[in-house]
Amino acid sequence: MSEVRVRFAPSPTGFVHVGSLRTALYNYLFARHQKGKIILRIEDTDQTRYVEGAVANLLQAMDWAGLTFDEGPKSGGNFGPYYQSERLEIYKQHISQLLDSGHAYPCFCSEERLTKMREEQAANNQPIMYDGHCRHIPKEEALKRMENEPHVIRMRVPSEGETVVNDLIRGRVSFQSNLLDDQVLIKTDGFPTYHFANVVDDHLMQISHVIRGEEWLPSTPKHVLLYQAFGWDPPQFAHLPLLLNADRSKLSKRQGDVAVEDYQSKGILPEALVNFVALLGWNRGDDQEFFSLEELVESFTLERVNKAGAVFDLQKLEWMNGHYIRSIDEATYLKLGLNWMAKFQLDAGSPEKNENILKAIRPAINTFGELPAKTALFFQDELQFEAEAREWVTKEESKQIFTTMLAEIDQYPQLTLDDFSAMMKIVQKSTGIKGKNLWMAVRSAITGMTHGPELPIVLSVLGKDKVKQFLQQALEQ
Ligand code: GLU
């Protein structure tokens, strides 16, 4: 078999949709698993949709996710340029082939005529598509008019028969030709449309497998007809299942974050997002959920990609991220955590204290975006009590504990951890309260919560004055 060559062919729009990340990832996994090549091609021929910085942003998102390309704008390669906007000459040459062979024709219809045509079709409940008005202009006349009349170039789609797509995921899908539009291949501005540039480039770049989202399936028969018109062998197609919201509607911006950048800024780790996205439409056939990129490469096959839409479950992503936060080595965790603390302007006064805070909350956070909430107890001036903690601090017995602590605490200039345990022994002896009743009361008074970070860590960060202040406050409840 000839070499596997796949491509990720985004039209940069300024942000990277998680669906795009999945397409890129599956192409990457397929290529690496098959020991083939993955190409990055920038589909930027829609001048009206140009967004400043969009390509840089895209490249950055790919880097962040750890996806590398064998050919593309950054790495170069033998099949460039990899920006479609730099390939206009190539499209020009190819469109003349189709004009010569009669598979394409110029269309001079004005926007007004087309609008009117569409309105009439809509009123008559007919499919909205080009009515073939310019199809039969004699070739010579057409060529002459092309010289000075604005025009587009359309594909002459056969009006009968069917076009079959044998999709590696969806199986055999057939489309009736009479429902396929005489699609525009070259626009009035001389730029190619997506369909035309995409097919020409996939052929010239020797793409063996086109792996892309299901929303492109309806376009595929048009592509197949173009391959036929050129006399080329089409690549194999694999259309990936749609991504859905929890209510099974198509994943949309309206229902939550859809951009890779959104997850980045929520403090999701790239390993977690990649792992999560890999499972949106694929599984290994067992119940393993955690995969490194290497393991994914090893296990990935198109045979195990589902047809059914995949629900994007944000809670699962956060849960997975929590797993990654707890499984990276401590030094990496602390380094990342300190960066995030700085971003949120959370500073307990020394790197050591900040690290202690990070260690203390590690069992409890799922994303770094939760840092402000999860570290609040270390930074507040007045404690906020959770309901259960309030119950504990208002017990008569607890008040006795706090009073004794306050009477003792100034014996210890620093209140080190050793001091603290010595002090608590005294408190236990003089009040006769011990075990849960003692510790829940103290924990509630110092943290406002009955569960949470280890007390010694909290104490070491808060320091003696804060502890005194919180005990006072607890007494006043
Ligand atoms: N440029 C298209 C996109 O933005 C590519 C679709 C395809 O892979 O053919 O998704």
Side-chain angles (χ1 to χ4, degrees):
M1 207 185 115
S2 58
E3 190 191 22
V4 163
R5 288 175 57 85
V6 296
R7 84 307 194 268
F8 173 49
S11 308
T13 53
F15 73 95
V16 182
H17 193 283
V18 281
S20 278
L21 177 65
R22 189 202 43 186
T23 300
L25 176 65
Y26 282 19
N27 274 285
Y28 174 89
L29 298 176
F30 182 74
R32 294 287 175 262
H33 183 87
Q34 302 277 339
K35 309 259 182 293
K37 295 263 162 24
I38 178 167
I39 287 108
L40 175 62
R41 180 173 76 226
I42 306 296
E43 304 215 320
D44 57 348
T45 57
D46 191 346
Q47 295 296 87
T48 59
R49 283 173 52 189
Y50 176 79
V51 182
E52 181 84 42
V55 174
N57 189 58
L58 179 109
L59 296 176
Q60 205 181 2
M62 295 295 120
D63 273 352
W64 179 78
L67 303 186
T68 52
F69 297 88
D70 302 298
E71 296 172 26
K74 260 182 23 186
S75 20
N78 294 332
F79 298 84
Y82 294 92
Y83 284 93
Q84 287 191 326
S85 59
E86 294 172 14
R87 300 172 63 83
L88 299 180
E89 240 348 276
I90 299 176
Y91 308 128
K92 246 188 218 152
Q93 288 159 15
H94 282 84
I95 201 64
S96 23
Q97 271 187 47
L98 292 189
L99 283 169
D100 281 351
S101 64
H103 286 103
Y105 64 91
C107 167
F108 306 96
C109 290
S110 65
E111 226 11 87
E112 283 125 23
R113 178 178 183 276
L114 293 174
T115 311
K116 213 169 135 232
M117 173 198 82
R118 289 186 197 114
E119 282 166 4
E120 282 172 15
Q121 289 170 335
N124 297 329
N125 273 331
Q126 288 168 335
I128 312 284
M129 55 197 282
Y130 185 59
D131 60 2
H133 186 76
C134 293
R135 248 184 173 226
H136 306 290
I137 302 174
K139 202 163 173 182
E140 225 154 275
E141 181 189 332
L143 288 177
K144 191 161 268 155
R145 285 176 65 183
M146 274 172 80
E147 279 167 28
N148 39 33
E149 271 182 58
H151 61 274
V152 299
I153 296 177
R154 290 182 184 273
M155 162 120 194
R156 196 187 300 275
V157 172
S159 40
E160 281 169 11
E162 57 170 18
T163 303
V164 172
V165 177
N166 283 310
D167 191 271
L168 292 173
I169 293 165
R170 313 210 57 92
R172 182 181 192 276
V173 194
S174 100
F175 298 83
Q176 266 177 278
S177 300
N178 64 356
L179 293 180
L180 297 179
D181 208 353
D182 272 6
Q183 56 184 303
V184 174
L185 303 177
I186 301 284
K187 296 175 277 187
T188 334
D189 61 7
F191 278 70
T193 56
Y194 152 72
H195 303 292
F196 188 63
N198 189 269
V199 165
V200 168
D201 287 347
D202 281 346
H203 173 74
L204 294 180
M205 295 183 179
Q206 297 178 9
I207 298 305
S208 62
H209 295 76
V210 166
I211 303 171
R212 63 186 170 199
E214 190 180 301
E215 62 275 22
W216 299 104
L217 186 59
S219 302
T220 309
K222 304 180 183 183
H223 300 175
V224 170
L225 287 171
L226 269 173
Y227 284 101
Q228 288 171 3
F230 277 115
W232 295 337
D233 284 337
Q236 295 209 261
F237 293 101
H239 286 91
L240 309 175
L242 291 178
L243 298 187
L244 308 174
N245 295 304
D247 65 1
R248 304 200 69 82
S249 58
K250 194 175 163 195
L251 188 65
S252 64
K253 188 101 188 147
R254 230 165 348 117
Q255 293 208 19
D257 297 321
V258 293
V260 171
E261 296 85 335
D262 294 333
Y263 296 104
Q264 228 172 325
S265 60
K266 273 194 169 132
I268 297 283
L269 299 171
E271 296 85 348
L273 188 61
V274 163
N275 188 156
F276 173 77
V277 161
L279 298 179
L280 293 175
W282 173 88
N283 65 74
R284 197 170 64 178
D286 52 18
D287 47 18
Q288 178 159 333
E289 292 207 272
F290 291 104
F291 292 90
S292 66
L293 193 56
E294 294 72 33
E295 286 173 300
L296 288 170
V297 166
E298 183 136 319
S299 315
F300 187 83
T301 60
L302 287 175
E303 284 76 38
R304 294 220 56 89
V305 174
N306 305 323
K307 281 199 209 48
V311 173
F312 191 98
D313 177 354
L314 180 59
Q315 269 178 345
K316 182 171 174 191
L317 170 58
E318 290 177 348
W319 167 80
M320 279 194 131
N321 199 64
H323 168 90
Y324 277 91
I325 282 193
R326 281 176 279 286
S327 53
I328 49 182
D329 64 280
E330 187 169 84
T332 312
Y333 166 73
L334 291 176
K335 193 167 158 226
L336 288 170
L338 289 175
N339 280 339
W340 278 93
M341 283 186 77
K343 222 179 268 185
F344 287 121
Q345 296 182 325
L346 296 169
D347 185 4
S350 75
E352 196 196 335
K353 280 191 175 178
N354 290 341
E355 287 187 0
N356 280 342
I357 293 178
L358 287 167
K359 286 182 199 163
I361 59 159
R362 190 170 182 187
I365 57 163
N366 281 334
T367 70
F368 284 113
E370 294 169 355
L371 274 180
K374 297 281 181 189
T375 60
L377 84 102
F378 297 100
F379 295 103
Q380 55 201 354
D381 284 324
E382 228 178 89
L383 263 199
Q384 307 296 325
F385 290 96
E386 285 177 357
E388 210 185 322
R390 184 179 299 278
E391 257 173 54
W392 274 104
V393 298
T394 49
K395 286 188 183 172
E396 250 345 287
E397 247 190 13
S398 306
K399 303 220 155 184
Q400 231 183 306
I401 300 172
F402 308 148
T403 323
T404 319
M405 285 172 79
L406 282 168
E408 280 297 315
I409 202 162
D410 283 326
Q411 308 292 324
Y412 309 96
Q414 300 299 329
L415 194 66
T416 62
L417 292 184
D418 286 344
D419 295 344
F420 181 67
S421 30
M423 176 174 83
M424 291 314 291
K425 280 205 185 100
I426 297 173
V427 173
Q428 186 177 326
K429 219 174 218 165
S430 78
T431 59
I433 306 168
K434 56 182 182 189
K436 187 175 175 194
N437 288 342
L438 176 67
W439 291 107
M440 281 304 228
V442 175
R443 166 178 287 285
S444 300
I446 295 177
T447 69
M449 303 185 290
T450 51
H451 300 279
E454 287 171 43
L455 261 192
I457 297 189
V458 179
L459 280 167
S460 66
V461 174
L462 291 183
K464 181 173 142 185
D465 289 347
K466 246 334 180 3
V467 171
K468 269 171 82 174
Q469 179 200 325
F470 285 173
L471 287 171
Q472 273 301 347
Q473 201 192 323
L475 269 180
E476 285 154 20
Q477 294 298 309

